[in-house]
Amino acid sequence: MADIRICFIGDSFTQGTGDDTCLGWPGRVCAAAQTRGHAVTAYNLGIRRETTGDIRARWRAEVTPRLAAGVDGRIVFSFGANDATIENGQWRVPPDLSAENARAMIARALLSYPVLVVGPPPAPEPEKTARHAELAARYATVCNELGVPFLDVMEPIGSVTAWWDEVAAGDGIHPGAQGYAALAGLVDAWPAWRSWLP
Amino acid sequence: MADIRICFIGDSFTQGTGDDTCLGWPGRVCAAAQTRGHAVTAYNLGIRRETTGDIRARWRAEVTPRLAAGVDGRIVFSFGANDATIENGQWRVPPDLSAENARAMIARALLSYPVLVVGPPPAPEPEKTARHAELAARYATVCNELGVPFLDVMEPIGSVTAWWDEVAAGDGIHPGAQGYAALAGLVDAWPAWRSWLP
């Protein structure tokens, strides 16, 4: 049986903030892979509040000891929501720089590992959702140019009632267990993911 | 509601290797705390094959962005099993150095965060279990001198039948979901842990 080790690198939505089960979507999709007979080691490297700039500064140092030489290592990136937060009237990371950060990380990761990218979810505020959509489109372009599969979750998550119920009942940003299960379901049904773990 | 963020720093037993649920014991004890009404962000920083020397080299860089200023951050260390592996006739990390690594990490962590330490589990081979027990005793002394709670799991895990059944059915080292649930049960019943998350 293959021994695949996956680093999930991102922000609070990757970490699973608000999920009472402490699985998040990475834990759920890897547990599902285990039930299909795969041996998967999941390293969840999501950090709350981090922008693409923050992630770019630390991802390589954290991946290196986890995906050591001889290991069948893979990387899943997911980021963007914190870049699109407005502070002092400006994006925390403007779209051009956000796309450049994404490109730099993905291109460098591809030198050593297979890579997948999952886009940011929508936000409760329409104008923030529009900023997430702008970033998702930028990341999709970057991924297309680099030949990396990109999963846009904006529309399918937008129609998940439980997501919004949980966001409203929670901290106003993050969903709970059902929302993360919905996100996991999208990833689990994604052909690119299934090509890693059939 | 308090917003506690905990870094679990250690090796494969911290990561949860072999656990089909992808929770490990850190995920289980934090999910249990969530059901008691606590808001806990669990950062699982266990890495397979790592010794105390490996962990000492990277833990601060990984904790810093996760437990940023203003965050109610805590640290749980758990290590030792890889130090006690014999390679070329020698411990990967001899007991004196292993204890010194533990002391250095714990003392430094205490400057900034509350700290708990969980000892290594027993191994299938009696002579490796004896080496784990020697390290557990060393770590207990270090923790006692630094005023940090230490949980010795050697004997209680030794009597968990499911642990050994799963080790035998798995890779010969790691348990499965039931074994990790037993380890989580020990941590969850530990007064030092409950003082953080009643």
Side-chain angles (χ1 to χ4, degrees):
Chain A
M1 191 162 58
D3 173 13
I4 292 176
R5 307 189 190 184
I6 306 175
C7 287
F8 294 89
I9 303 169
D11 54 24
S12 59
F13 292 105
T14 304
Q15 189 275 328
T17 303
D19 185 349
D20 282 347
T21 71
C22 294
L23 281 167
W25 64 262
R28 284 178 167 77
V29 294
C30 288
Q34 299 268 142
T35 67
R36 296 195 299 274
H38 299 288
V40 183
T41 300
Y43 289 117
N44 188 322
L45 300 174
I47 301 187
R48 297 178 66 168
R49 265 194 66 78
E50 285 210 335
T51 65
T52 53
D54 300 322
I55 297 165
R56 184 176 176 178
R58 54 105 182 162
W59 75 275
R60 284 188 62 195
E62 296 190 353
V63 163
T64 300
R66 289 168 174 83
L67 307 184
V71 161
D72 183 354
R74 320 283 176 99
I75 289 179
V76 181
F77 288 110
S78 187
F79 40 60
N82 294 315
D83 293 35
T85 299
I86 301 295
E87 286 185 352
N88 304 317
Q90 298 190 312
W91 295 54
R92 285 184 66 200
V93 179
D96 283 352
L97 179 53
S98 185
E100 167 52 26
N101 285 335
R103 181 186 303 274
M105 288 189 273
I106 297 164
R108 183 65 184 80
L110 278 173
L111 297 181
S112 303
Y113 313 103
V115 176
L116 299 177
V117 180
V118 176
E125 307 80 8
E127 64 279 12
K128 186 154 200 293
T129 293
R131 295 195 298 276
H132 289 203
E134 179 174 347
L135 291 183
R138 296 286 197 118
Y139 301 154
T141 299
V142 167
C143 287
N144 186 53
E145 290 170 2
L146 294 172
V148 167
F150 176 78
L151 181 67
D152 189 336
V153 303
M154 299 283 300
E155 286 199 19
I157 288 297
S159 65
V160 175
T161 304
W163 180 284
W164 302 112
D165 291 346
E166 289 177 333
V167 167
D171 63 7
I173 297 171
H174 303 99
Q178 291 182 74
Y180 284 109
L183 200 41
L186 296 175
V187 175
D188 199 45
W190 187 21
W193 172 258
R194 285 299 183 111
S195 77
W196 285 8
L197 298 157
Chain B
M1 192 162 58
D3 174 12
I4 292 176
R5 306 189 190 184
I6 305 175
C7 286
F8 294 88
I9 303 169
D11 55 24
S12 59
F13 291 105
T14 303
Q15 189 274 328
T17 302
D19 185 350
D20 282 347
T21 71
C22 295
L23 281 166
W25 64 262
R28 283 177 167 77
V29 294
C30 288
Q34 300 267 143
T35 67
R36 296 195 299 275
H38 298 288
V40 182
T41 300
Y43 289 117
N44 188 321
L45 300 174
I47 301 186
R48 298 178 67 168
R49 265 192 66 78
E50 285 211 335
T51 65
T52 54
D54 300 321
I55 297 166
R56 184 176 176 178
R58 54 104 182 162
W59 74 275
R60 283 188 62 195
E62 296 190 353
V63 164
T64 300
R66 288 168 174 83
L67 308 183
V71 162
D72 183 353
R74 320 284 176 99
I75 289 179
V76 181
F77 287 110
S78 188
F79 40 60
N82 293 315
D83 294 34
T85 299
I86 301 295
E87 286 185 352
N88 305 317
Q90 298 191 312
W91 295 53
R92 284 184 65 199
V93 179
D96 283 351
L97 179 53
S98 184
E100 167 53 27
N101 285 336
R103 182 186 302 275
M105 287 189 273
I106 297 164
R108 183 64 184 80
L110 279 174
L111 296 181
S112 305
Y113 314 103
V115 176
L116 299 177
V117 180
V118 176
E125 308 82 7
E127 64 279 12
K128 187 154 200 293
T129 293
R131 295 194 298 275
H132 289 203
E134 179 175 347
L135 291 182
R138 298 284 197 118
Y139 300 154
T141 299
V142 168
C143 287
N144 185 53
E145 289 170 3
L146 295 172
V148 168
F150 176 79
L151 182 65
D152 189 338
V153 304
M154 298 282 302
E155 286 200 18
I157 288 298
S159 65
V160 175
T161 304
W163 181 284
W164 302 112
D165 290 346
E166 289 177 335
V167 167
D171 62 7
I173 298 171
H174 303 98
Q178 291 182 75
Y180 284 109
L183 199 41
L186 297 175
V187 176
D188 199 45
W190 186 23
W193 172 258
R194 284 300 182 112
S195 77
W196 285 9
L197 297 158

